[in-house]
Amino acid sequence: MGLVGVTDVLALHGGPPVRTRPFARPRTIGNEEKRAVLEVLESGALSQFVATWGPEFNGGPRVRELERAWAERFGVKHVTAVNSATSGLYAAVGALDVGPGDEVIVTPFTMSASATGIIVYGGVPVFADILSDTFCLDPESVRQAITARTKAIIVVDLFGHPAEMDEINAIAREHGLAVIEDAAQAPDARYRDRSCGTLGDIGVFSLNQHKTIQCGEGGLVVTNDDDLAERVRLIRNHAEVIVKDKGDHHLAHLVGFNYRMTEIEAAIAVEQLRKLSRLTEGRIAAAALLTRRLSGIPSMHPPVVRPYARHVYYMYAIRYDAEISGVPRDVFVKALKAEGIPVTSGYVEPIYLQPLYHAGRSRWQTAPRSDGWPPYGRGTCPVAERMHFAELINTDLCFAGLTEDDADDIGTAVEKVLRHADELGRDARTVRS
Ligand SMILES: *Cc1c(COP(=O)(O)O)cnc(C)c1O
């Protein structure tokens, strides 16, 4: 702060960056995971699923141990381990009997797999808009997207903050809809003293490499509903060859997949689950440092947390106000990156803008409606578009072990860039004209 001369030249313009050291992200895979994996290797049984109706239909000892531990940890009756959250979301959509022409309402501001399960089953994704503070589904927009063909709602606890579950569940009850909660980013997040992932009819977690806890690739499907749990287990393991022996004639229409988790992944996940509390608390502490450092800067709005929510900060999403700073967001982000701070503009392009929703639509939508419903064009969800294209700045610099010095470097870099607002604003205008 207050430096003048060469150190105050923007790194973007050839000056020295504020931060040259990399940020030290924690390594969470340790001896516990190594030992657990070795035990599996020594046993020789790397996966114990068998696709016949019998004791091994639901997998081996580690898979079952993971499911038991997860059920206890999150206070939910049934847990089904699968090989990714994507598989879990597909299984959840399949378990709800979504079929050709059924509409499912989903947020567009999420990883694509939150919505593609609908398409896999011949359903039609209908996108509702998000709230501009938590970036989760806006219940009012969900209400407006309901038609006579709506069958379910898929909500996402985005960046680790719970969606508006009471309102969404109330709308679902009113219209007889099911709710899938994609909690891939929100293990250990809480909503009014309940665990995220357990708030709808079916919840899905992810254990991929980038999530708070991981086993390389993996996922979990959770539900308190006996029937839905059974359907998910069938879909996980080749339903069609099981239903006859099992006597589930009413489920003869289910198509199974191989969504089975290996014993190796399960063994790692069991150890990772033991570390979840510590890693979550570390993220929350890191977010507190960042918020304290950034909250005095008028153009930066740190993440909002509802009074009844526990945010677990899979990402730290800042709303940036270019009107106040005088620097367009993307120019600001470029300058901040040059200072050694890894940030990105927005999150993902609202998913209805992806090529799949345009080039492929007539192939997967059984009866595309002539009135263009549902819309997938620009302007469909204005808030999601504004957040992605103009206001949101994202960083994953929000992990256990982030130090006060780290947070200070981030704040110092932000202040340095903003001190050069005139210069950067001028650059931007020149580029545009
Ligand atoms: C990561 C993620 C997924 C997919 O998880 P995988 O385990 O990689 O399949 C789905 N939804 C959201 C919101 C995610 O962040």
Side-chain angles (χ1 to χ4, degrees):
M1 287 272 315
L3 299 174
V4 287
V6 67
T7 56
D8 203 43
V9 175
L10 286 171
L12 192 63
H13 293 157
V18 168
R19 176 88 179 195
T20 48
R21 279 183 302 130
F23 290 88
R25 287 162 216 279
R27 190 190 150 97
T28 72
I29 300 294
N31 286 331
E32 304 79 10
E33 288 79 4
K34 279 193 208 162
R35 217 174 298 123
V37 167
L38 280 178
E39 272 177 32
V40 175
L41 290 177
E42 276 157 17
S43 79
L46 308 194
S47 175
Q48 280 175 251
F49 277 100
V50 180
T52 50
W53 182 238
E56 293 192 311
F57 174 68
N58 284 314
R62 268 80 180 188
V63 165
R64 289 163 194 237
E65 183 186 353
L66 171 63
E67 291 173 345
R68 269 196 308 276
W70 202 276
E72 191 175 320
R73 180 68 168 69
F74 293 97
V76 66
K77 190 169 176 194
H78 300 285
V79 177
T80 307
V82 287
N83 55 14
S84 71
T86 300
S87 305
L89 286 158
Y90 290 13
V93 173
L96 292 174
D97 274 341
V98 169
D102 288 337
E103 294 177 5
V104 179
I105 298 169
V106 60
T107 167
F109 207 46
T110 178
M111 197 252 156
S112 65
S114 307
T116 38
I118 305 163
I119 294 173
V120 165
Y121 284 92
V124 180
V126 175
F127 295 95
D129 211 349
I130 60 168
L131 297 166
S132 61
D133 55 358
T134 63
F135 318 115
C136 295
L137 265 181
D138 176 352
E140 203 37 56
S141 183
V142 169
R143 204 180 270 288
Q144 285 165 16
I146 291 172
T147 74
R149 307 179 80 168
T150 308
K151 184 133 187 182
I153 304 168
I154 300 178
V155 302
V156 179
D157 301 315
L158 198 73
F159 305 142
H161 190 286
E164 306 291 332
M165 290 308 292
D166 282 351
E167 290 79 357
I168 304 251
N169 282 332
I171 294 169
R173 264 195 308 278
E174 200 181 307
H175 295 270
L177 312 176
V179 176
I180 297 175
E181 184 186 11
D182 178 348
Q185 304 183 357
D188 232 9
R190 295 185 75 79
Y191 177 86
R192 301 188 195 281
D193 282 330
R194 285 181 296 149
S195 290
C196 284
T198 70
L199 306 167
D201 296 291
I202 310 189
V204 179
F205 294 93
S206 172
L207 293 170
N208 90 21
Q209 166 85 28
H210 308 286
K211 300 294 154 64
T212 302
I213 58 170
Q214 59 121 344
C215 62
E217 305 287 353
L220 298 123
V221 184
V222 307
T223 181
N224 288 313
D225 183 299
D226 298 348
D227 180 50
L228 288 177
E230 202 51 32
R231 288 159 172 259
V232 169
R233 286 189 201 109
L234 283 164
I235 292 170
R236 168 174 69 177
N237 191 7
H238 304 291
E240 66 282 358
V241 297
I242 310 300
V243 285
K244 195 167 160 194
D245 286 347
K246 191 169 181 288
D248 282 344
H249 301 292
H250 65 296
L251 296 178
H253 64 289
L254 285 186
V255 174
F257 293 80
N258 176 352
Y259 290 160
R260 308 179 313 199
M261 178 185 266
T262 69
E263 288 288 282
I264 297 179
E265 290 159 336
I268 297 171
V270 166
E271 296 304 327
Q272 287 274 295
L273 182 57
R274 297 188 219 281
K275 301 179 179 180
L276 178 60
S277 295
R278 184 169 55 76
L279 292 169
T280 301
E281 278 151 26
R283 279 180 189 268
I284 293 170
L289 288 176
L290 292 173
T291 296
R292 184 161 3 117
R293 186 63 182 80
L294 297 175
S295 52
I297 303 173
S299 53
M300 307 285 280
H301 304 293
V304 163
V305 187
R306 298 264 186 271
Y308 49 78
R310 184 191 206 213
H311 191 334
V312 293
Y313 301 99
Y314 170 67
M315 300 288 276
Y316 187 89
I318 299 160
R319 256 184 80 191
Y320 172 78
D321 190 334
E323 295 283 311
I324 297 178
S325 74
V327 185
R329 181 199 59 180
D330 294 352
V331 176
F332 174 81
V333 163
K334 199 170 159 203
L336 197 55
K337 274 160 99 166
E339 298 298 335
I341 311 300
V343 287
T344 56
S345 283
Y347 174 46
V348 290
E349 200 176 30
I351 55 187
Y352 53 79
L353 296 176
Q354 290 173 351
L356 172 63
Y357 293 87
H358 300 274
R361 182 173 185 166
S362 59
R363 298 206 199 178
W364 50 261
Q365 198 173 338
T366 47
R369 279 171 44 165
S370 55
D371 59 359
W373 173 266
Y376 295 142
R378 274 267 190 165
T380 298
C381 297
V383 180
E385 291 177 24
R386 182 156 53 86
M387 290 307 127
H388 179 67
F389 293 111
E391 294 187 16
L392 197 131
I393 296 177
N394 232 330
T395 181
D396 64 351
L397 284 177
C398 193
F399 43 75
L402 187 96
T403 66
E404 196 139 12
D405 282 352
D406 291 335
D408 195 50
D409 280 350
I410 295 162
T412 302
V414 166
E415 285 160 351
K416 177 180 171 188
V417 171
L418 292 174
R419 265 201 309 282
H420 293 75
D422 284 353
E423 183 185 331
L424 287 167
R426 234 182 358 258
D427 286 1
R429 279 191 300 279
T430 328
V431 169
R432 239 178 287 138
S433 60

